[in-house]
Amino acid sequence: MSPRTRADSAHISPSAHYTGYVWYRHQLAEPAFATGFGRLAYGLLKPLVWGVREVLGLDLEHVLLQRHLLIDARLRAAIEQGGVRQVVEIACGLSPRGRRFCQRYPQLQYLEADLPAMAARKRLLLHGEGWLDGRHRVRDVDILAARGALSLQALFADLDQHAPVLVITEGLVNYFPRELLEGFWTRLAAQLARFPQASYLTDLYPDLREHPRYRQLRWGVDLVGRLTRGDYWLHYRDQAEIVAAFEGCGFRRVAVLDPEHDGAGLGLPDQGAPSLLRVIEARVP
Ligand SMILES: C[S@@+](CC[C@H](N)C(=O)[O-])C[C@H]1O[C@@H](n2cnc3c(N)ncnc32)[C@H](O)[C@@H]1O
């Protein structure tokens, strides 16, 4: 498997229509977020998703909801208890989180960002509904760009660097091999170091080989890669490896959240099996 390059990570973007439709189906998004392509993809993949759940025990939709709701819960806590007033959601796709949180917290500044084509689509969507304003914005970014107009440095340049910031990525990091991913995290931590207080929330699927259904899950995960016309990597063997990797990139106080223990208040039914999903909450400094 050759490492993906900056030029070809656009193959991931169509998957945002699928997840956007899932958020809409579960009343997490208004109808504007559900695209025709998302609806079509959801319908076409339904038998496959059903088969993967019945045969492999991997409930893709449940995992998506777990990650989305767990990130929401940690974001709410950061705003209500941690004083966060500015949020940057990278690889926002068609996620409705920015809209929902701006409605709920009138003091919040919310910057969404994605590759240029997806960012343009999101901007059009939000603008069309009259939801874009000075505090809810959409910018272009490429997490693989080390410099230039699409870099993290350019994205963070017009934030208030005297106030706490929280960055989110969801449904992004496992599409990249470890070297590219850690390059992104290292650049992100360097940007965050300029703020008095900064945290990062992301979902992550580790390579948990001791999981009782590892082989089936591995097959299901490979299928996700094939459906998105790329590769889908599982990174890090356990919690210690995850923490070490984040610390190696410049993060501190790394918490590895497991929906089995940390998802009790999410209102989702218990799946009766350990999850492959983790949500990482890491801080700088
Ligand atoms: C699976 S979608 C997730 C979208 C959204 N976060 C959600 O959970 O519904 C992956 C997103 O990553 C974005 N993406 C892919 N490569 C990227 C890159 N190099 N830089 C920034 N975003 C990227 C895609 O455009 C897409 O919107």
Side-chain angles (χ1 to χ4, degrees), residues 48-83:
L48 188 63
V49 170
W50 178 84
V52 167
R53 188 179 64 231
E54 295 302 308
V55 179
L56 303 180
L58 174 63
D59 187 337
L60 181 62
E61 205 157 326
H62 186 85
V63 177
L64 289 175
L65 286 174
Q66 274 184 326
R67 83 176 195 208
H68 200 74
L69 296 179
L70 192 46
I71 292 175
D72 275 3
R74 296 314 302 154
L75 177 57
R76 272 197 305 277
I79 294 169
E80 291 174 11
Q81 291 143 39

Side-chain angles (χ1 to χ4, degrees), residues 6 9-10 12-16 19-20 23 67-68 89-95 113-115 118 141-144 169-172 175-176:
R6 177 178 163 183
S9 92
I12 302 166
S13 294
S15 60
T19 49
W23 313 140
R67 83 176 195 208
H68 200 74
E89 182 161 0
I90 295 174
C92 59
L94 297 167
S95 172
D114 207 303
L115 290 173
M118 181 52 80
V141 78
D142 182 343
I143 61 150
L144 304 179
T169 58
E170 179 181 4
L172 177 75
Y175 285 106
F176 296 94

Side-chain angles (χ1 to χ4, degrees), residues 149-195:
L150 295 181
S151 66
L152 293 176
Q153 189 179 13
L155 181 67
F156 282 85
D158 58 350
L159 293 182
D160 178 357
Q161 293 185 0
H162 302 290
V165 65
L166 184 145
V167 176
I168 298 171
T169 58
E170 179 181 4
L172 177 75
V173 299
N174 286 83
Y175 285 106
F176 296 94
R178 191 166 161 171
E179 191 190 332
L180 291 186
L181 178 57
E182 292 183 359
F184 159 56
W185 284 342
T186 302
R187 287 190 297 279
L188 178 61
Q191 288 305 316
L192 296 186
R194 293 158 39 189
F195 293 81

Side-chain angles (χ1 to χ4, degrees), residues 214-232:
Y214 177 77
R215 283 186 56 200
Q216 294 94 318
L217 290 175
R218 180 73 255 186
W219 198 89
V221 161
D222 286 343
L223 186 66
V224 172
R226 278 196 290 275
L227 288 173
T228 49
R229 293 180 293 123
D231 295 312
Y232 202 83

Side-chain angles (χ1 to χ4, degrees), residues 49 78 97 164 249:
V49 170
R97 182 177 289 114
C249 295

